[in-house]
Amino acid sequence: GRVELLHLQEKPFDGPENYRINIGDLLDAVMEHANRLMVRAVMYDRFLIGPALLGLGDEYGLPVVEFPQNARRMVPASKRMADAILEGDLAIVENDLTPQLLRHFENCRLKTDRLGSRIVKDHTGSSKKIDAAVCATMAFDAANDIPYEPAPTPRIY
């Protein structure tokens, strides 16, 4: 397995408190990379971006799949990722965003409770971002679960 961070938007360390990601730029990045790669699925959590990504799926034929970030999904996904890392079966593809991906992994904490172990923030209000690590975990898990079927060419206008 391999993981590569292709796009990241996050509040700069000295950025304004009201910083918001640019949904248009995010969707453009998804389309750019979907056109370049053989995409099995575009995974998303419904919290913020779900409706916009579903629109891309409907409009361009991208395979868009919800991946709820709940314990039921994140416990096995976190285990699969941890096992791959510990067994040396995961490579991080290096690019300009690799330091941010590694920082997001370093910011993760392992939460263990009756539901199992999963990656989480240090505490709910923490400003330390883990989004890229969560996305990598979701993508790695999905890549191992979703069989490869050549997708139809997206309808790009």
Side-chain angles (χ1 to χ4, degrees):
R2 65 189 194 117
V3 173
E4 180 179 8
L5 183 59
L6 300 173
H7 181 80
L8 179 67
Q9 291 182 44
E10 66 180 341
K11 176 184 165 196
F13 290 113
D14 58 349
E17 287 303 312
N18 63 347
Y19 174 86
R20 297 286 180 259
I21 66 167
N22 183 311
I23 300 292
D25 287 350
L26 179 61
L27 296 177
D28 288 347
V30 169
M31 290 305 300
E32 173 191 337
H33 296 298
N35 284 327
R36 189 173 55 82
L37 303 168
M38 291 185 295
V39 176
R40 290 187 200 178
V42 176
M43 307 304 295
Y44 75 95
D45 177 60
R46 77 177 88 171
F47 172 66
L48 176 65
I49 196 69
L53 281 175
L54 286 173
L56 283 184
D58 292 342
E59 188 172 346
Y60 299 108
L62 289 176
V64 178
V65 179
E66 182 179 354
F67 191 118
Q69 292 177 19
N70 57 34
R72 186 169 161 224
R73 286 301 300 268
M74 289 305 293
V75 166
S78 295
K79 180 175 179 1
R80 182 177 268 168
M81 178 66 93
D83 288 348
I85 291 169
L86 294 172
E87 293 169 13
D89 293 335
L90 179 71
I92 293 178
V93 178
E94 294 209 26
N95 63 26
D96 292 343
L97 295 174
T98 301
Q100 288 90 325
L101 177 60
L102 295 176
R103 177 174 41 83
H104 282 225
F105 269 110
E106 289 169 357
N107 290 340
C108 290
R109 298 297 170 258
L110 191 64
K111 176 180 181 175
T112 302
D113 58 19
R114 64 179 178 75
L115 301 172
S117 299
R118 60 201 173 277
I119 58 172
V120 297
K121 279 185 158 190
D122 206 10
H123 56 84
T124 305
S126 175
S127 62
K128 293 181 177 181
K129 301 297 183 192
I130 67 167
D131 303 272
V134 171
C135 288
T137 301
M138 291 167 50
F140 185 75
D141 190 64
N144 284 284
D145 277 348
I146 298 172
Y148 173 70
E149 295 176 21
T153 304
R155 299 179 307 272
I156 305 303
Y157 299 98

